[in-house]
Amino acid sequence: MATDPRPPSFGEAVRFWLKLGFISFGGPAGQIAIMHTELVEKKRWVDEPRFLNALNYCMLLPGPEATQLAIYCGWLLHRARGGLVAGVLFVLPSAVLLWGLSYLYAAHGRLPWIEAIFAGLKPAVVAIVAAAVWRIGQKALKGAVFWAIAFAAFVAIFWLKVPFPAIILGAAVCGLAGLRFWPEKFLNRTGPGAAETVGSREAAGTMRPTWGRAARIVALSCALWFAPVVAIAAWQGWDGMFARMGLFFSEAAMVTFGGAYAVLPYVAQQAVETHGWLTTPQMLDGLGLAETTPGPLIMVLQFVGFMGGWQHPGTLSPLLAATLGAALTTWVTFVPSFMFIFLGAPHLERLRGNRHASAALSAVTAAVVGVVLNLAVWFAWHVFRMQGGGWNGFAIAVALVAFLAQWRFKAGVVAIVLAGGLAGWLWSLAT
């Protein structure tokens, strides 16, 4: 019989979020998979229903859903300071690593050894994602009706290209209709009855959301969000490159639903064609570098800011201008995520006892499983297919070995990620 999970100290949580920041490869699907494995299954700091409800909420928000999920889970464990630390440490390792890689790229061109390591790391992450999607599906989809909703959501987004908000709205309507006509099937696992975890005990003391609290969060968040932009505008004027960059990426943070895969085409077009901050080949190389580092894929926006500053430094040195552009872009991209979570998480937790909300969230959870499967299939397709056509046998072999290692031998995420990167590097030497 499993022992009761011990509440983590704040120091333990800090160490975990720092580790997560270094191993969270694979875009949103990979990061969600890793958090589920570590937080729900291994440590039992967050229970399954809360994790899935948090994921539902984060998928509905503009911006990087995996970052927001980390903030939400950190908030569940240690409230505001937990959310702040989780979000910052989820992004910081990637930001530092990508800054270094951006400098090497700007100064010396493409980095073949990085590409070689990632050639082995990507299929290893595919295996992590595949195993996690299967585990989440088994636990979240209790009954044929939820499997059907998940399958319908996958078909809708993968083949029919139905907008994500429409899929979620349709699932919520299905849940409410199911509560009316088939209540025993739709009041499933989002209500009481799940095994107790640290997260469920902590959430029992959730603060009561008030209008005053919401106003304070919005005021403080907006002040922090726009302070650097206003300061730079006071220095260079609103027509200066950095002020325009800050405003553009602030806007992108508010309107980009669907995560990095949805925002990248829009940002690439604007950054290349409208603003001229970098070229199309540089944008594609930046995407490769962002995929190479841990953390959210949306970090490619930092690369855009870096290259914009490097190539248009004005009176500053190229490195200083690039660093300023990278820091400003990262700041305005991620600060809104903290505001969204601190505003909405208490409301979501209080809705958990509501029958109508539970039924709707049960159906939305099933739909989100289908959407995550779509992300996993999209990622796997791009890993296994070669640019010139045909299949990448090396990538498929690494993925199969990695899947077997975690499924049969319970290998950890860190070991799989490191082994995948090493395999890619050795393969490049052999070929």
Side-chain angles (χ1 to χ4, degrees), residues 20 32 36 67 89 91 130 150 202 216 225 231 266 310 335 343 357 376 385 391 393 397-398 424:
L20 181 67
I32 292 166
H36 181 269
T67 305
L89 294 183
V91 171
E202 291 293 327
R216 290 192 297 272
W225 184 1
Y266 169 70
W310 181 274
V335 167
L343 273 177
R385 292 289 291 178
W391 298 95
V398 170

Side-chain angles (χ1 to χ4, degrees), residues 299-351:
M299 287 303 299
V300 68
L301 303 188
Q302 176 183 304
F303 177 83
V304 175
F306 185 98
M307 293 304 297
W310 181 274
Q311 297 180 141
H312 307 280
T315 59
L316 304 176
S317 70
L319 181 58
L320 178 58
T323 302
L324 179 58
L328 177 65
T329 301
T330 303
W331 181 266
V332 299
T333 297
F334 289 101
V335 167
S337 294
F338 293 90
M339 178 177 68
F340 295 144
I341 298 304
F342 292 157
L343 273 177
H347 293 280
L348 189 66
E349 292 301 317
R350 291 182 66 82
L351 281 174

